[in-house]
């Protein structure tokens, strides 16, 4: 492994360690025992089959949200609209899941495809505005997150809901629930979505690293002017990048609608999964397989945190502080790289 690849691996690892060390200091200053806190967190994430199942379930949408953010990053775009694309994908998947009765081999793929299509269409708008009018995608996607939240709430109330706040459950033929996975994890809410998320990681890796179109997309992200000079269609590639990113986000929504909850309800605020996807992508180095590990870390932190108040008396808000610290150190990766280079020179 060469020096740059080693640093690429070590930077997020050190960022996580530094985040947890500073988190320990915060716990001690706040009057809590960091060893008891982290022990409770670890037990709450991996302590028995039920907790493991819940961690895997929480990891599933994080993987796909991270892939959505990372795909855009790798092609020179910042898709901060993953949250909104996830919500419209969730709505589309549930709509297909409750509106039709088909064989499972047709119904489930159709519902997931509908979610991918909805997420893609929601991302298409900022893609077109970016490609043709040079409108920054961050501004448009932030606004479209709010549009997605309130439009889906209106559709749930007026179209999908008989009770006024949530839809019916999707038909079994469109469900990702797995009796086998539930039985081996003491009836946790884990479902087959984790398989789809892993397949998504392989698809992103193959598309970006092993195809001509993936090379084009990355080239446009590195330098649009050079790509245009080389004969690439820059506008088309910007739009395609946003569409693919939106598809990953939409499928993340399908995991929630067809797997975890089995329906969709009116939301008072954002799910947070799309925004956490930004951190997952950063810690994973925008690498498809790195995202699998960073999503597992986030899933473990979120699920394990639920055990901290009862077992160690540590409030769950401290986990959010630890996550924020990890992101801070990832964002300050220049300092970590400088430290590594100094240590390397000292060793020589």
């Amino acid at each position: 492994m060469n020096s740059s690849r080693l640093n690429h691996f070590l930077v997020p690892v050190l960022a996580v360690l530094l985040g947890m060390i500073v988190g320990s200091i915060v716990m001690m200053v706040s009057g809590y025992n960091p060893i008891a806190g982290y022990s409770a967190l670890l037990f709450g994430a991996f302590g028995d089959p039920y907790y493991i199942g819940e961690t895997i379930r929480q990891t599933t949408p994080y993987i796909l949200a991270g892939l959505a953010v990372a795909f855009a990053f790798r092609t020179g775009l910042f898709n901060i609209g993953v949250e909104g694309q996830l919500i419209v994908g969730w709505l589309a998947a549930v709509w297909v899941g409750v509106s039709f009765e088909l064989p499972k081999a047709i119904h489930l793929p159709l519902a997931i495809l509908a979610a991918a299509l909805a997420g893609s269409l929601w991302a298409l708008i900022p893609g077109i505005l970016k490609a043709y009018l040079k409108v920054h995608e961050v501004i448009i996607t932030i606004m479209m997150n709010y549009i997605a939240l309130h439009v889906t709430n209106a559709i749930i109330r007026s179209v999908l809901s008989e009770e006024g706040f949530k839809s019916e459950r999707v038909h079994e033929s469109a469900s990702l629930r797995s009796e086998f996975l539930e039985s081996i994890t003491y009836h946790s809410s884990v479902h087959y979505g984790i398989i789809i998320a892993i397949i998504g990681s392989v698809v992103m890796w193959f598309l970006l690293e092993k195809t001509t179109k993936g090379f084009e997309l990355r080239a446009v992200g590195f330098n649009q002017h050079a790509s245009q000079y080389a004969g690439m269609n820059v506008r088309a590639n910007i739009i395609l990048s946003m569409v693919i990113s939106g598809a990953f986000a939409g499928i993340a929504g399908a995991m929630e609608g067809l797997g975890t909850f089995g329906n969709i309800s009116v939301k008072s605020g954002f799910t947070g999964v799309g925004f956490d996807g930004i951190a997952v992508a950063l810690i994973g180095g925008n690498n498809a397989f790195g995202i699998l590990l960073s999503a597992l870390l986030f899933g473990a932190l979120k699920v394990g945190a639920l055990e901290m108040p009862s077992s160690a008396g540590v409030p769950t808000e401290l986990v959010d502080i630890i996550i924020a610290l990890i992101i801070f150190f990832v964002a300050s990766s220049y300092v970590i790289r400088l430290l590594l280079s100094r240590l390397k020179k000292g060793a020589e």
Side-chain angles (χ1 to χ4, degrees), residues 86-332:
L86 180 150
I87 292 172
V88 297
W90 186 339
L91 176 72
V94 170
W95 179 78
V96 171
V98 301
S99 300
F100 304 98
E101 290 191 48
L102 300 165
K104 194 176 186 76
I106 298 173
H107 201 181
L108 180 56
L110 184 64
I112 295 171
L113 183 62
L117 181 60
S120 294
L121 289 174
W122 208 253
L124 176 65
I125 298 169
I128 291 174
L129 292 173
K130 171 74 172 182
Y132 286 93
L133 300 177
K134 306 297 182 185
V135 180
H136 204 289
E137 69 275 10
V138 170
I139 298 170
I140 300 299
T141 52
I142 287 175
M143 292 191 294
M144 291 196 69
N145 283 336
Y146 288 93
I147 296 170
L149 176 64
H150 296 297
V151 168
T152 53
N153 279 348
I155 292 173
I156 294 165
R157 288 193 183 98
S158 60
V159 179
L160 289 179
S161 174
E162 293 182 356
E163 302 175 17
F165 67 95
K166 68 177 180 179
S167 71
E168 297 177 4
R169 291 192 65 83
V170 298
H171 294 299
E172 189 60 34
S173 56
S175 175
L176 284 166
R177 284 190 60 192
S178 165
E179 291 185 3
F180 168 71
L181 293 178
E182 289 177 6
S183 67
I184 64 173
T185 57
Y186 296 172
H187 302 288
S188 73
S189 53
V190 66
H191 51 78
Y192 284 130
I194 187 63
I195 299 172
I196 296 170
I198 293 170
I199 291 171
S201 298
V202 175
V203 168
M204 174 177 157
W205 168 78
F206 183 81
L207 181 59
L208 285 179
E209 306 294 342
K210 299 297 180 181
T211 66
T212 303
K213 179 53 68 175
F215 173 79
E216 277 193 31
L217 290 169
R218 287 186 288 117
V220 169
F222 284 129
N223 192 317
Q224 292 186 11
H225 298 294
S227 300
Q228 191 166 13
Y229 183 77
M232 299 177 189
N233 189 329
V234 172
R235 287 176 174 173
N237 280 300
I238 288 173
I239 294 170
L240 179 61
S241 173
M242 286 299 293
V243 165
I244 295 173
S245 175
F248 281 122
I251 295 172
M255 300 301 100
E256 300 290 76
L258 305 178
T260 303
F261 297 98
N263 62 7
I264 187 168
S265 58
V266 171
K267 295 173 178 56
S268 59
F270 294 119
T271 67
V273 174
F275 298 122
D276 286 341
I278 299 170
V280 170
L282 284 172
I283 294 172
N286 296 318
N287 176 280
F289 299 110
I291 286 169
L292 290 175
L293 297 177
S294 63
L296 179 61
L297 170 67
F298 268 69
L301 287 172
K302 290 290 186 179
V303 174
L306 301 176
E307 185 70 17
M308 292 172 71
S310 59
S311 297
V314 179
T316 56
E317 288 79 7
L318 275 172
V319 170
D320 292 327
I321 294 174
I322 294 166
I323 291 172
L325 287 166
I326 292 170
I327 296 168
F328 170 79
F329 285 115
V330 171
S332 307

